[in-house]
């Protein structure tokens, strides 16, 4: 049988009082006091009675573990006052969470959660982050990932598949689809003429003239009826990608806004080539969309 390989520093200290030997035969020399502070599982392990011997042991006791060295080393680096591990891939975060849960190491779970919400994972693979978060009960991470999936147009198509989906049951993924759908419906309603609660803010951005009269007391300004009537395509876009940025980048929204102005000879000169007004209208719409989407809550259920 090959001799065990000694792990890299700081886990090669010969003064260590316990040795963890991984499944792939790598020895990690560590101090019980450090690991006892980080993990109640390790603390309980180290308090178990040891065999009585008349002679002092030649070296620290060896504890065989089922983890591979590449999975165990990041966990120890988080527990030690050392340079934290470098996590290259989402799979590495999942492995770290699995080992951290086994040994009940809260600081490692928090480290993994922080990795999941970093832009390199959250922005590039929000579905994968959501599935991992749901699998390990990280509710705040799951909600952040669900919000990030709103950037995926028409979410739910087969192209959205990621391998982390295999970690969760269909019901967990369905809750994410349902969240995206409800956000789309909420965003699309902002472009509906029946949604009158905020048109006062929008109407105030347009020039004041006779076309701003209201169809009824407390109703919608007449000029905005035509505006909302032209937003069907924008509403469809919002159902697929329910974010304020969808409106800001929408050529259909700008075209609908322009139609209000060109229909009024009094407004046209004041509006023509005024980029600031275009931006004000689209940003007002975008803000309202973000407000409505924020009201939608993901149904989170740990399992």
């Amino acid at each position: 049988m090959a001799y065990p390989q000694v792990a890299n520093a700081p886990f090669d200290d010969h003064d260590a009082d316990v040795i963890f030997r991984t499944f792939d035969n790598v020895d990690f020399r560590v101090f019980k006091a450090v690991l006892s502070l980080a993990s109640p599982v390790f603390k309980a392990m180290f308090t178990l009675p040891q065999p009585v011997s008349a002679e002092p042991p030649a070296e620290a006791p060896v504890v065989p573990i089922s983890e591979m060295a590449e999975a165990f080393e990041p966990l120890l680096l988080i527990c030690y006052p050392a340079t934290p591990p470098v996590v290259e891939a989402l799979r590495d975060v999942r492995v770290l969470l699995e080992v951290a849960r086994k040994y009940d190491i809260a600081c490692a779970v928090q480290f993994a959660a922080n990795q999941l919400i970093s832009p390199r994972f959250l922005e590039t693979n929000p579905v994968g982050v959501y599935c991992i978060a749901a699998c390990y009960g990280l509710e705040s991470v799951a909600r952040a990932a669900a919000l990030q999936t709103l950037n995926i147009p028409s979410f739910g198509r087969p192209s959205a598949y990621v391998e982390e989906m295999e970690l969760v049951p269909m019901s967990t993924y369905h809750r994410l689809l349902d969240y995206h759908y409800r956000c789309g419906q909420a965003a699309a309603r902002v472009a509906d003429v029946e949604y009158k609660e905020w048109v006062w803010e929008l109407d105030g951005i347009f020039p004041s003239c006779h076309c701003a009269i209201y169809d009824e007391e407390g109703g919608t300004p007449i000029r905005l009826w035509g505006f909302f009537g032209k937003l069907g395509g924008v509403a469809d876009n919002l159902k697929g990608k329910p974010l304020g940025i969808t409106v800001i980048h929408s050529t259909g929204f700008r075209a609908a806004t322009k139609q209000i102005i060109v229909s009024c000879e009094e407004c046209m000169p004041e509006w023509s080539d005024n980029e600031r007004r275009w931006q004000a209208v689209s940003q007002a719409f975008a803000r309202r969309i973000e407000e409505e989407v924020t009201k939608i809550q993901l149904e989170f259920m740990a399992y």
Side-chain angles (χ1 to χ4, degrees):
M1 180 178 178
Y3 284 105
Q5 178 183 347
V6 178
N8 297 323
F11 309 119
D12 56 353
D13 193 332
H14 285 278
D15 292 329
D17 51 9
V18 66
I19 300 172
F20 282 101
R21 181 164 295 164
T22 61
F23 186 77
D24 51 346
N25 213 30
V26 178
D27 281 355
F28 288 84
R29 297 173 177 269
V30 295
F31 291 92
K32 295 178 181 179
V34 175
L35 297 190
S36 293
L37 290 172
S39 164
V41 174
F42 284 138
K43 184 177 181 179
M45 179 189 303
F46 299 145
T47 56
L48 293 175
Q50 300 297 314
V52 178
S53 174
E55 298 294 330
E59 66 173 344
V62 176
V63 179
I65 56 175
S66 60
E67 285 75 30
M68 303 290 281
E70 66 175 0
F72 197 61
E73 183 175 28
L75 187 78
L76 295 181
L77 286 172
I78 295 169
C79 297
Y80 260 61
T83 303
V86 176
V87 180
E88 299 288 352
L90 203 53
R91 178 186 175 277
D92 298 331
V93 183
R94 178 165 59 86
V95 171
L96 176 59
L97 278 168
E98 187 66 28
V99 182
R101 183 165 66 175
K102 174 181 177 179
Y103 293 107
D104 194 12
I105 302 180
C107 60
V109 173
Q110 186 58 55
F111 177 88
N114 292 340
Q115 294 296 311
L116 288 174
I117 60 174
S118 65
R120 62 195 178 111
F121 293 138
L122 191 62
E123 294 179 4
T124 60
N125 190 356
V127 178
V129 171
Y130 167 80
C131 292
I132 291 176
C135 184
Y136 293 95
L138 304 175
E139 183 173 353
S140 61
V141 176
R143 294 190 184 283
L147 185 62
Q148 191 66 32
T149 64
L150 301 184
N151 284 290
I152 305 175
S154 301
F155 176 62
R157 295 178 177 177
S159 58
Y161 174 82
V162 295
E163 65 179 68
E164 288 78 16
M165 289 180 182
E166 306 293 342
L167 298 172
V168 297
M170 179 60 69
S171 57
T172 297
Y173 182 62
H174 180 268
R175 283 191 282 272
L176 181 61
L177 292 177
D178 176 69
Y179 169 77
H180 196 286
Y181 172 79
R182 288 185 288 117
C183 286
Q185 295 298 310
R189 282 197 298 271
V190 179
D192 194 319
V193 70
E194 295 301 321
Y195 190 83
K196 300 178 180 179
E197 299 175 12
W198 74 284
V199 293
W200 300 86
E201 175 187 353
L202 182 63
D203 190 54
I205 298 171
F206 290 100
S208 299
C209 78
H210 69 278
C211 72
I213 62 174
Y214 289 81
D215 58 334
E216 58 185 49
E217 184 176 355
T220 305
I222 288 177
R223 62 181 171 187
L224 292 186
W225 277 99
F227 175 57
F228 280 94
K230 299 294 183 182
L231 292 181
V234 178
D236 288 340
N237 292 337
L238 287 169
K239 290 177 182 178
K241 189 176 181 179
L243 295 170
I245 197 70
T246 301
V247 165
I248 292 175
H249 291 166
S250 172
T251 57
F253 182 86
R254 187 166 182 135
T257 307
K258 186 175 182 180
Q259 287 187 14
I260 301 176
I261 304 306
V262 298
S263 63
C264 177
E265 294 181 359
E266 189 175 340
C267 288
M268 185 61 179
E270 189 174 347
W271 188 276
S272 181
D273 297 324
N274 192 330
E275 187 63 30
R276 181 183 61 81
R277 287 192 184 275
W278 292 112
Q279 292 178 356
V281 174
S282 63
Q283 288 172 359
F285 229 87
R287 283 194 303 272
R288 180 59 62 168
I289 289 166
E290 297 292 346
E291 289 173 8
E292 294 303 308
V293 168
T294 301
K295 296 176 184 178
I296 307 301
Q297 293 294 312
L298 169 74
E299 182 187 358
F300 181 82
M301 186 179 299
Y303 66 94

